[in-house]
Amino acid sequence: MAEKKAAKKAAPSQNRIGLIDDLRGFCVLCMIFYHGFLLAFNSFGVVAGGQAYDFFRPVQPLFAGIFILLCGVSCRLSHSNWERGLKLFGVALAINLITILLLPQLARFGFDFSGTEIWFGILNLLSVCILFFALARPVLDWLPPAAGAYLMLVFWYVTRFFEAGRIGFPGELETTVPASWRTHAWTFPFGLHDDQFWSADYFPLIPWLFLFLAGAYFGVYILEGHVPKFAYKARLGPVNWLGRHALLVYIAHVPAWFVVLELLHLIHLI
């Protein structure tokens, strides 16, 4: 009887939660415009694109953070994180190779893709986070979800400026990362790199892994059925579609932007 009650309580979490797709779609929409501004400036010299990129840059961690948090939530709802993680890792690696090795070769045909190299972008981050969660889940589940979420948010907060060489709470409880940590070529996935490093899309494991894991702990409450009824309804139409097809949109949006910008360039509108 108890098992039937538990199953009944958890049943709503099997339905798609429209609010999650709405939020994810909004984040994807922000990403589309953000990358479009960057491409317009870097590859086509559109000054307004650079100005828009700089204007929206301060809020980029906000919509990226929401997206990462929601991906952590989704891990609790997935039937196979190993499969999802490995597939995403392959897609991310392909994007790395294309942007680092293939696109620069197109310069001989008059296409300028300088500054578009991706060494460790958001897909690299999410694939590693998903695989880490799949591996460490038995250990992570030792903590109650509320305690786990709180602890991960604290870890994220104290390491949010790790890439800039700072760690801890603002003020006397903050310290600097040793400069020697930032001299190795292989540490950039963790947020440690020298001033010469550049990645057009860059989301290191520290601090973003902690935000992802906070989302994974929040996802426990969805599995237990603690979801208000209004959250199941999708309300943003096309934005919701973006949220449900985030990976496809991520792969396609930069080539689509390039085609649009190239056409605008050919007809002398930019």
Side-chain angles (χ1 to χ4, degrees):
M1 181 67 70
E3 291 180 357
K4 290 183 178 179
K5 289 183 178 179
K8 185 177 180 180
K9 186 178 181 180
S13 66
Q14 304 304 316
N15 300 323
R16 196 162 190 103
I17 301 173
L19 180 60
I20 290 180
D21 289 327
D22 285 344
L23 289 172
R24 187 188 294 115
F26 175 75
C27 295
V28 170
L29 185 64
C30 292
M31 173 201 68
I32 290 173
F33 283 101
Y34 187 74
H35 288 167
F37 296 145
L38 178 63
L39 185 63
F41 179 69
N42 279 351
S43 297
F44 293 88
V46 179
V47 176
Q51 293 171 339
Y53 174 80
D54 290 336
F55 179 79
F56 286 104
R57 191 172 183 177
V59 298
Q60 185 255 7
L62 175 61
F63 62 78
I66 294 173
F67 186 84
I68 293 167
L69 187 77
L70 292 175
C71 287
V73 171
S74 298
C75 271
R76 288 289 181 182
L77 311 179
S78 173
H79 297 294
S80 177
N81 284 307
W82 282 111
E83 182 179 350
R84 289 175 62 238
L86 289 172
K87 286 182 178 179
L88 192 58
F89 185 86
V91 173
L93 182 60
I95 292 176
N96 296 147
L97 295 176
I98 290 171
T99 59
I100 296 171
L101 300 179
L102 178 60
L103 292 186
Q105 303 304 317
L106 298 181
R108 67 185 68 178
F109 302 106
F111 298 110
D112 181 13
F113 286 99
S114 58
T116 59
E117 303 88 350
I118 297 176
W119 289 91
F120 200 83
I122 196 166
L123 295 189
N124 297 103
L125 167 74
L126 293 177
S127 65
V128 174
C129 286
I130 293 171
L131 293 173
F132 177 83
F133 175 79
L135 178 66
R137 185 171 185 172
V139 177
L140 295 171
D141 286 347
W142 286 351
L143 282 174
Y150 177 78
L151 185 62
M152 292 303 137
L153 287 175
V154 170
F155 285 165
W156 169 80
Y157 184 80
V158 300
T159 61
R160 69 196 190 284
F161 297 125
F162 187 71
E163 184 188 352
R166 295 151 49 200
I167 188 171
F169 295 94
E172 296 182 0
L173 295 179
E174 187 176 59
T175 186
T176 57
V177 175
S180 59
W181 291 12
R182 300 162 59 86
T183 60
H184 304 288
W186 55 270
T187 56
F188 64 87
F190 301 97
L192 296 169
H193 57 79
D194 59 24
D195 294 336
Q196 304 303 314
F197 175 81
W198 165 257
S199 181
D201 185 34
Y202 184 52
F203 288 88
L205 289 167
I206 302 175
W208 299 111
L209 172 62
F210 301 125
L211 194 61
F212 178 93
L213 293 177
Y217 280 113
F218 287 131
V220 174
Y221 294 104
I222 295 178
L223 284 179
E224 293 178 348
H226 301 294
V227 182
K229 291 183 179 180
F230 73 84
Y232 287 97
K233 185 177 180 180
R235 291 176 169 81
L236 298 183
V239 174
N240 185 273
W241 185 91
L242 292 176
R244 288 183 284 112
H245 302 85
L247 179 59
L248 176 63
V249 173
Y250 183 90
I251 294 172
H253 81 284
V254 171
W257 262 124
F258 181 80
V259 170
V260 171
L261 291 169
E262 183 65 26
L263 289 174
L264 293 175
H265 178 71
L266 289 174
I267 60 178
H268 305 292
L269 290 180
I270 60 173

